Amino acid sequence: MFTSTGSSGLYKAPLSKSLLLVPSALSLLLALLLPHCQKLFVYDLHAVKNDFQIWRLICGRIICLDLKDTFCSSLLIYNFRIFERRYGSRKFASFLLGSWVLSALFDFLLVEAMQYFFGITAASNLPSGFLAPVFALFVPFYCSIPRVQVAQILGPLSITNKTLIYILGLQLFTSGSYIWIVAISGLMSGLCYNSKMFQVHQVLCIPSWMAKFFSWTLEPIFSSSEPTSEARIGMGATLDIQRQQRMELLDRQLMFSQFAQGRRQRQQQGGMINWNRLFPPLRQRQNVNYQGGRQSEPATPPPLEVSEEQVARLMEMGFSRGDALEALRASNNDLNVATNFLLQH
């Protein structure tokens, strides 16, 4: 289910790791040891508007007071870490900052609309936490991550690699009475920032000097080591199944290493990769037939046909056409495998 979001671990995602550890630790600290301090982190728009408690816009929108929201938002941030790997920590932080600021404005507008049209004043007390940017990340997740079918159930209904993440988002959406206001404001801010509406991506962004400062100070603290390529074998599998899984793992590692070597050579020399040289067992199979004392000419099969639709979906994610073609050919038109490899390299 989670293979579409890259490999396991938080490698090359220090900001995602900090968002997982710091707010979660503070939420547990407030819930278990400092419950009397929770009132300082209540997201109360009525107090912001009437009592000018502007600080609640910051304190009330960072730490979750509900542990269920903390758990769901942490899982979603872990799965959305792929955007930090793809765009870099600075652009990922700019997206979170922009959606965080814009969602505060949309929160005010939605709460005022609720009070004006329906007379509901209780909506001013919204769920606390870093929730709106989490909902905003569903916009690039829907637009840029390809949908790969995993299983077919009940005719037209199917389970994809994105189903579980949508279910987790729905669980967070229904966890409170007025959390739908935060969710809608987060989705609206994500749409505005992702579509570059009103050039908000240029106004609400992290300056380069600030990004360098945090890369020097905080990135060494929250950085993670590169994960090993060894995969775990499923528990309860027989010896034959384990051997088969290990053989498939070795084949995939060999394919990825050859693919990475080809990409490095192409970057140095330019042009397309010579697939006949890199993959002789796949591209050129010699059949030695001695007829009349002479060796027959090697039969070279035609190049593997690549789906233009899959190429387009990879290009929509930001990869070049050459890399998309190479990944799809190397993975035998397996979009999920090709996507995972391109995101990890």
Side-chain angles (χ1 to χ4, degrees):
M1 289 288 185
F2 292 90
T3 55
S4 64
T5 56
S7 62
S8 60
L10 291 163
Y11 178 60
K12 292 185 178 179
L15 179 58
S16 300
K17 185 176 182 179
S18 64
L19 291 175
L20 282 174
L21 296 179
V22 177
S24 300
L26 292 177
S27 297
L28 289 173
L29 182 65
L30 288 175
L32 301 178
L33 301 179
L34 301 172
H36 57 280
C37 297
Q38 289 186 352
K39 60 183 179 180
L40 300 176
F41 297 91
V42 174
Y43 186 26
D44 189 356
L45 291 181
H46 180 77
V48 174
K49 178 182 177 182
N50 297 333
D51 301 334
F52 298 101
Q53 298 180 1
I54 308 298
W55 52 272
R56 289 192 180 274
L57 288 176
I58 300 176
C59 297
R61 305 181 70 241
I62 295 179
I63 302 175
C64 292
L65 299 181
D66 192 340
L67 293 182
K68 298 191 301 296
D69 295 344
T70 302
F71 179 74
C72 292
S73 59
S74 298
L75 286 178
L76 289 172
I77 289 174
Y78 177 79
N79 284 279
F80 290 148
R81 73 199 185 283
I82 190 62
F83 296 113
E84 183 177 3
R85 293 177 181 170
R86 184 190 305 176
Y87 303 133
S89 297
R90 182 189 174 189
K91 295 183 71 173
F92 183 66
S94 298
F95 180 89
L96 295 178
L97 174 65
S99 59
W100 188 75
V101 174
L102 289 175
S103 60
L105 175 62
F106 289 130
D107 285 343
F108 268 107
L109 295 177
L110 290 174
V111 168
E112 290 296 325
M114 290 283 292
Q115 293 179 357
Y116 181 81
F117 291 105
F118 304 103
I120 301 177
T121 57
S124 61
N125 194 4
L126 298 178
S128 303
F130 197 71
L131 301 176
V134 174
F135 283 108
L137 285 170
F138 274 97
V139 176
F141 178 75
Y142 175 80
C143 298
S144 60
I145 299 298
R147 177 178 176 271
V148 179
Q149 181 177 329
V150 176
Q152 188 80 21
I153 56 172
L154 299 178
L157 299 178
S158 61
I159 298 177
T160 68
N161 56 332
K162 303 166 71 172
T163 301
L164 190 57
I165 300 178
Y166 286 134
I167 293 176
L168 192 59
L170 182 62
Q171 171 65 31
L172 183 61
F173 182 82
T174 58
S175 62
S177 300
Y178 296 105
I179 197 173
W180 62 269
I181 296 179
V182 178
I184 292 176
S185 63
L187 292 174
M188 293 172 62
S189 62
L191 284 172
C192 292
Y193 202 94
N194 195 59
S195 61
K196 301 179 181 179
M197 188 179 299
F198 307 118
Q199 301 298 318
V200 293
H201 67 287
Q202 297 181 357
V203 179
L204 300 175
C205 63
I206 303 296
S208 58
W209 62 267
M210 185 179 296
K212 292 179 181 178
F213 173 77
F214 284 115
S215 66
W216 293 336
T217 56
L218 297 181
E219 186 173 351
I221 300 175
F222 294 103
S223 60
S224 300
S225 59
E226 184 176 2
T228 59
S229 58
E230 183 179 357
R232 294 177 296 179
I233 303 299
M235 295 179 60
T238 63
L239 292 177
D240 292 337
I241 296 178
Q242 291 182 13
R243 293 192 191 98
Q244 182 179 0
Q245 290 176 341
R246 292 186 185 279
M247 289 299 298
E248 292 176 354
L249 175 62
L250 291 175
D251 291 341
R252 180 171 295 186
Q253 289 175 351
L254 177 61
M255 178 186 69
F256 283 169
S257 63
Q258 292 173 331
F259 181 39
Q261 179 184 0
R263 289 188 66 185
R264 287 193 298 267
Q265 293 178 357
R266 186 170 64 89
Q267 291 174 358
Q268 295 174 358
Q269 301 176 0
M272 297 297 294
I273 296 176
N274 187 353
W275 290 96
N276 290 330
R277 180 172 54 83
L278 284 180
F279 296 97
L282 300 178
R283 300 295 180 189
Q284 185 176 2
R285 299 175 181 233
Q286 288 187 347
N287 295 322
V288 181
N289 296 322
Y290 292 94
Q291 297 178 355
R294 293 192 306 171
Q295 181 178 349
S296 63
E297 295 294 330
T300 303
L304 180 65
E305 292 292 335
V306 177
S307 172
E308 288 296 330
E309 180 182 357
Q310 294 181 348
V311 174
R313 294 176 72 177
L314 290 176
M315 293 177 65
E316 289 175 358
M317 297 174 61
F319 303 113
S320 65
R321 179 177 177 84
D323 289 343
L325 288 171
E326 294 166 11
L328 288 171
R329 287 169 180 164
S331 60
N332 196 22
N333 275 328
D334 191 325
L335 182 61
N336 197 20
V337 174
T339 304
N340 286 336
F341 181 77
L342 289 173
L343 291 175
Q344 295 174 32
H345 296 77

